[in-house]
């Protein structure tokens, strides 16, 4: 992070690739223009600034042990759509990394369960890479991923490689099947009932639409996973990213500073409140 | 595990007497399906209640103009079909094995008679069935919500 946490530093787009067959999600690899090295923890996010357009929070989706840093973005809003049109070699502003991280070290010794929905796989990708590197420190590692349709599956090649690699169990399901899809059909919470993890020793990491996460928590509780072992990554209207502005406030928490990763006991009374 | 042990190991047998489990086992048999086989066919008489022991089953529906659409996948320890319980006892969907699938298959008519005759057994089986229905309805609602759609889509 720079000297001033609110000041973006210039970073260059090193390469860009489309990330799903649906075409609305892309990944940027970015490198600091001044070559300064930095590090991040899985689960943290950066504020990406397209000069003259605007700034958005984006989780870092790359292996924390490697460079360049990757950011996986859906071209959906007034900032991310113009971002999708930026070319390789162009310079953006970046500040970060910010926020809390997945409790991967605390999870060691037990099962690690990763439940992702839609674009929520991106913030968990860095956690998966770290878990793979320290695979012997976990009993089982399970990745359960649900998304809208076959065309929306993110990181399809990596999911296949992880599954075929045999080190982690991977299950992918889609809500809507098309004729080209031969895999599972149904919501991701159903996979929780089937996965072979040991609830008593499991740490669960969840990221996806809030509704999906609420029902995933319910399914985990039904399996007997303790509340304190369930961690969610939240998305809120993060602007300053350092707890000044309050735009991302959720009850007593600033999601940018206290989150985005928060344990379920800190959220259980908040997510059901429509006004928050 | 023999048939009786398989029946005894089901959730709905927990809390039932050995005699009641014997009654349930008398309605049951093990049945296996190869990939491509159908457990249930749309419009056919719903004469069997399946519990999946291993394998994978797709619930499918033929939709005019769209062909056969897969609605959801059923895995181990899950039930397939409840039309056997609700008149007119006709299957509303296809259930199609996609992997080699082993099931515990209960003949519907004697099972309904047993549930009618012994409400404790009926209640135990219904609790399992309602649990399944609750999960399926919840899943359906989430699917209808299209939670992964881009905001404003």
């Amino acid at each position: 992070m720079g000297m001033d946490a609110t000041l973006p530093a210039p970073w260059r787009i090193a390469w860009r690739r489309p990330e799903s067959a649906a075409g609305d999600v892309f990944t940027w690899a970015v490198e600091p223009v001044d070559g300064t090295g930095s590090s991040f923890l899985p689960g943290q996010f950066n504020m990406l600034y397209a000069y003259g357009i605007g700034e958005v929070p984006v989780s870092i989706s790359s292996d924390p042990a490697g460079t360049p840093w990757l950011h996986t973005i859906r071209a959906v809003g007034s900032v991310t759509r113009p971002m999708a049109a930026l070319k390789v070699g162009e310079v953006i502003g970046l500040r970060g990394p910010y926020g809390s991280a997945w409790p991967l070290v605390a999870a060691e010794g037990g099962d690690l369960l990763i439940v992702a929905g839609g674009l929520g796989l991106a913030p968990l990708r860095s956690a998966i890479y770290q878990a793979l590197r320290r695979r012997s420190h976990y009993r089982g590692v399970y990745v359960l991923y649900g998304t809208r349709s076959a065309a929306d599956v993110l990181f399809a090649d990596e999911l296949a490689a992880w599954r075929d690699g045999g080190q982690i169990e991977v299950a992918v399901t889609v809500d809507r099947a098309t004729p080209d899809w031969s895999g599972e059909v149904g919501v991701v919470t159903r996979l929780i009932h089937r996965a072979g993890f040991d609830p008593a020793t499991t740490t669960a990491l969840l990221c996806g639409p809030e509704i999906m996460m609420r029902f995933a928590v319910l399914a985990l509780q039904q399996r007997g996973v303790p509340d304190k072992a369930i961690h969610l990554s939240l998305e809120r209207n993060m602007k300053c990213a350092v707890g000044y502005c309050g735009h991302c406030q959720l009850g007593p928490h600033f999601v940018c500073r206290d989150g985005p990763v928060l344990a379920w006991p800190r959220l259980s009374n908040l997510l059901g409140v429509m006004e928050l | 595990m023999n048939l009786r042990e398989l029946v005894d190991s089901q959730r709905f047998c927990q809390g039932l007497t050995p005699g009641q489990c014997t009654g349930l086992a008398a309605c049951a048999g093990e049945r296996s399906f190869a990939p491509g086989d159908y457990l249930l066919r749309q419009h056919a008489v719903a004469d069997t209640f399946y519990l999946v022991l291993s394998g994978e089953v797709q619930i499918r529906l033929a939709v005019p103009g769209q062909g056969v659409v897969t609605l959801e996948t059923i895995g181990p320890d899950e039930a397939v079909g409840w039309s056997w319980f609700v008149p007119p006892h006709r299957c509303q969907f296809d259930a199609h094995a996609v992997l080699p699938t082993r099931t515990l298959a209960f003949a519907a008519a004697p099972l309904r008679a047993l549930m009618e005759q012994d409400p404790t057994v009926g209640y135990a089986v219904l609790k399992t069935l309602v649990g399944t229905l609750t999960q399926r309805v919840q899943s359906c609602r989430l699917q209808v919500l299209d939670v992964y759609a881009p905001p404003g889509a």
Side-chain angles (χ1 to χ4, degrees):
Chain A
M1 201 181 296
M3 294 286 284
D4 181 343
T6 61
L7 188 66
W11 285 56
R12 182 168 284 111
I13 303 168
W15 51 260
R16 178 195 189 283
R17 70 175 176 225
E19 209 55 80
S20 67
D24 60 340
V25 180
F26 62 96
T27 291
W28 270 351
V30 294
E31 294 169 329
V33 168
D34 67 4
T36 311
S38 191
S39 63
F40 73 93
L41 296 169
Q44 289 191 301
F45 69 97
N46 285 320
M47 296 299 294
L48 303 185
Y49 178 35
Y51 292 115
I53 297 169
E55 194 180 45
V56 286
V58 183
S59 294
I60 310 167
S61 57
S62 46
D63 182 345
T67 55
W69 286 0
L70 305 188
H71 297 81
T72 301
I73 304 164
R74 174 182 260 170
V76 71
S78 59
V79 176
T80 50
R81 276 207 189 94
M83 275 181 163
L86 294 180
K87 303 272 189 294
V88 170
E90 290 197 71
V91 174
I92 60 160
L94 182 150
R95 56 192 180 93
Y98 296 117
S100 56
W102 297 112
L104 288 162
V105 175
E108 291 183 358
D111 285 344
L112 182 67
L113 174 66
I114 287 169
V115 184
L119 198 56
L121 185 58
L124 284 162
R125 184 173 175 271
S126 51
I128 294 168
Y129 273 107
Q130 179 154 321
L132 275 169
R133 196 168 321 97
R134 295 181 61 80
R135 180 62 188 86
S136 61
H137 295 257
Y138 300 96
R139 288 169 56 164
V141 178
Y142 304 82
V143 175
L144 312 180
Y145 177 47
T147 192
R148 194 182 197 195
S149 71
D152 297 293
V153 173
L154 289 184
F155 314 126
D157 293 343
E158 282 164 294
L159 286 166
W162 293 332
R163 187 181 51 227
D164 297 343
Q167 291 202 72
I168 56 180
E169 287 191 27
V170 177
V172 180
T173 186
V174 299
D175 277 8
R176 294 169 186 207
T178 42
D180 59 331
W181 178 256
S182 58
E184 297 235 12
V185 182
V187 294
V188 70
T189 50
R190 297 283 304 280
L191 299 179
I192 293 172
H193 293 286
R194 292 184 208 151
F197 59 86
D198 170 21
T201 71
T202 290
T203 299
L205 317 181
L206 278 56
C207 188
E210 220 162 275
I211 293 283
M212 174 229 115
M213 289 198 287
R214 276 169 50 193
F215 281 94
V217 169
L218 186 63
L220 290 167
Q221 290 169 328
Q222 286 168 348
R223 283 285 310 264
V225 177
D227 282 3
K228 63 177 192 234
I230 301 172
H231 302 264
L232 284 64
S233 180
L234 291 188
E235 192 176 355
R236 279 291 187 276
N237 185 22
M238 292 185 274
K239 293 288 184 191
C240 72
V242 287
Y244 293 164
C245 74
H247 280 90
C248 65
Q249 190 169 356
L250 177 70
H253 312 304
F254 289 115
V255 173
C256 70
R257 188 193 60 198
D258 305 324
V261 177
L262 290 160
W264 178 245
R266 298 178 73 183
L267 298 169
S268 58
N269 294 324
L270 300 173
L271 289 192
V273 181
M274 197 169 69
E275 291 78 8
L276 289 178
Chain B
M1 210 183 278
N2 63 33
L3 178 66
R4 177 56 196 267
E5 288 167 338
L6 268 178
V7 172
D8 284 356
S9 69
Q10 299 305 312
R11 264 169 301 176
F12 52 66
C13 270
Q14 283 155 29
L16 294 182
T17 64
Q20 289 169 321
C21 292
T22 301
L24 282 166
C27 309
E30 229 187 296
R31 210 177 288 177
S32 294
F33 298 87
D37 287 351
Y38 284 86
L39 287 73
L40 305 171
R41 292 306 300 254
Q42 194 180 355
H43 308 305
V45 174
D47 56 4
T48 311
F49 171 42
Y50 293 102
L51 292 170
V52 177
L53 301 171
S54 63
E56 195 173 294
V57 176
Q58 286 181 343
I59 304 299
R60 296 159 42 148
L61 184 67
V63 181
Q66 291 184 45
V68 176
V69 175
T70 301
L71 300 170
E72 65 179 342
T73 309
I74 307 295
D77 295 325
E78 295 185 307
V80 176
W82 50 79
S83 297
W84 62 271
F85 186 70
V86 185
H89 306 133
R90 294 268 167 190
C91 298
Q92 305 302 315
F93 301 93
D94 288 338
H96 172 263
V98 280
L99 296 176
T101 298
R102 249 180 82 228
T103 69
L104 194 53
F106 292 85
L111 179 59
R112 283 196 303 266
L114 180 62
M115 292 169 69
E116 205 60 58
Q117 183 192 322
D118 184 342
T120 310
V121 173
Y123 183 61
V125 175
L126 262 185
K127 274 202 292 189
T128 296
L129 205 58
V130 170
T132 297
L133 281 168
T134 305
Q135 271 191 21
R136 303 281 165 82
V137 170
Q138 202 178 79
S139 301
C140 258
R141 286 175 175 166
L142 287 176
Q143 282 171 292
V144 168
L145 268 179
D146 198 9
V147 292
Y148 304 121

